[in-house]
Amino acid sequence: MTTASVTALPHRALIAVSGPDWAKFLKGLCTAHIDTIVEETERGEFHRLYYGAFLRPQGKMICDVLLHAVSADEIWLDVPLSERDDLLAKLNMYRLRAQVTITALDHPVCVAFGGDLPKGFMTDPRGSIIDAPFGFAYAPQTATAFPDDWRIFRYAHSLAEAGTDFGPDDLYAIDANLDLLAAIDFHKGCYVGQELTSRMKRRGQIKNRILGFDYIGKAPAAGTEILNIDKRAGEVLATAQGHGLALMRIDRREGALTAEGRPVSLNIPPWIAPALPEITTE
């Protein structure tokens, strides 16, 4: 058994949404499977996390979010600190007559990864999808690693994080692979940004996805073009110690890829590979 590494994530923050209408309220604003959360809270299951996102009406992401129901009448939202004020304003704007209270919390956000989770950590559902379990806790923990170690872990598994690897309004949810990470309920009713998100998935209009890549030597800067010979194939989002994330055109992912004139190689994990169409050459 390997003990997981633990670190606090000061770039993440919490919002509490409480009151009898929290589920109905969030169902129209968040991509997550809210009905499933309600069903499990009715069974008394509270030691769980769920994944989702908040979108603009045009479909671009504000941020991703982890959801943790702490009781039948309260749920916590784990979001990027950089977007918390914007999200608080958005939630309050949509509150209208809903019986909910929206509050910023001061609890720390801690993550455990790379081994068996210590007591008190809740398993993140993305871990089973990427086949590398990890989890979160919202109370002080003894750190055995640094936030950069978490970045390296994520990049090695092609796992992006809003607010760190890309900003608000940069990407669509499917660009960031949220459809593959069970973060989007395609069967519930309308939510903000739902129309374009559903159309992209239904019609197969997916041109870009975040993919991991490896490099040797100097890291290419964020924003650097990735070229497939002489054609633009993608853009570097973030790098850390030989691993990186890039927003790639999926039709140009194969071939001799370079960034800043140096070779890079895509690291496409099994959880993403089946969603990439085969590239045919005439």
Side-chain angles (χ1 to χ4, degrees), residues 152-159 177 209-215 226 242-246 248 253 257 264-273 276:
I152 295 165
F153 173 87
R154 289 193 297 102
Y155 296 172
H157 293 92
S158 299
L159 192 65
N177 300 314
R209 284 194 183 274
I210 290 179
L211 301 177
F213 70 91
D214 298 328
Y215 62 91
I226 294 180
H243 302 295
L245 298 175
M248 296 293 299
R253 69 184 188 273
L257 302 177
V264 298
S265 58
L266 293 183
N267 174 22
I268 302 175
W271 67 272
I272 294 179
L276 301 178

Side-chain angles (χ1 to χ4, degrees), residues 214-258:
D214 298 328
Y215 62 91
I216 298 175
K218 183 181 178 182
T224 298
E225 283 189 337
I226 294 180
L227 299 178
N228 187 329
I229 305 178
D230 59 349
K231 295 181 179 180
R232 178 184 171 89
E235 178 182 325
V236 174
L237 298 178
T239 58
Q241 294 192 13
H243 302 295
L245 298 175
L247 182 64
M248 296 293 299
R249 277 189 52 163
I250 58 178
D251 63 339
R252 292 182 179 172
R253 69 184 188 273
E254 295 181 359
L257 302 177
T258 60

Side-chain angles (χ1 to χ4, degrees), residues 57-96:
Q58 300 80 11
K60 289 290 185 74
M61 288 180 63
I62 298 174
C63 64
D64 60 0
V65 57
L66 280 171
L67 302 97
H68 169 43
V70 297
S71 72
D73 292 320
E74 183 171 347
I75 192 166
W76 292 358
L77 311 178
D78 174 349
V79 301
L81 176 61
S82 59
E83 307 311 318
R84 183 167 68 171
D85 288 348
D86 182 26
L87 191 56
L88 281 167
K90 175 184 174 71
L91 294 174
N92 278 297
M93 179 182 70
Y94 281 103
R95 186 169 61 88
L96 301 177

Side-chain angles (χ1 to χ4, degrees), residues 84-222:
R84 183 167 68 171
D85 288 348
D86 182 26
L87 191 56
L88 281 167
K90 175 184 174 71
L91 294 174
N92 278 297
M93 179 182 70
Y94 281 103
R95 186 169 61 88
L96 301 177
R97 297 179 181 178
Q99 297 182 58
V100 294
T101 301
I102 303 163
T103 311
L105 299 177
D106 293 330
H107 302 298
V109 176
C110 298
V111 65
F113 57 97
D116 298 306
L117 299 185
K119 184 178 179 180
F121 280 82
M122 295 172 285
T123 300
D124 189 306
R126 293 173 290 174
S128 60
I129 294 172
I130 72 171
D131 196 27
F134 58 92
F136 286 81
Y138 301 118
Q141 306 290 328
T142 300
T144 60
F146 298 96
D148 275 352
D149 296 318
W150 167 237
R151 286 166 59 96
I152 295 165
F153 173 87
R154 289 193 297 102
Y155 296 172
H157 293 92
S158 299
L159 192 65
E161 184 180 79
T164 302
D165 307 318
F166 58 91
D169 305 307
D170 285 348
L171 302 178
Y172 295 105
I174 292 177
D175 291 342
N177 300 314
L178 266 66
D179 58 321
L180 308 181
L181 292 166
I184 305 172
D185 186 345
F186 287 102
H187 302 290
K188 68 177 179 176
C190 293
Y191 55 87
V192 175
Q194 180 261 351
E195 183 177 354
L196 188 139
T197 304
S198 295
R199 186 166 65 245
M200 287 177 67
K201 189 70 169 179
R202 185 174 63 252
R203 297 182 180 178
Q205 297 174 334
I206 303 170
K207 298 180 179 179
N208 307 294
R209 284 194 183 274
I210 290 179
L211 301 177
F213 70 91
D214 298 328
Y215 62 91
I216 298 175
K218 183 181 178 182

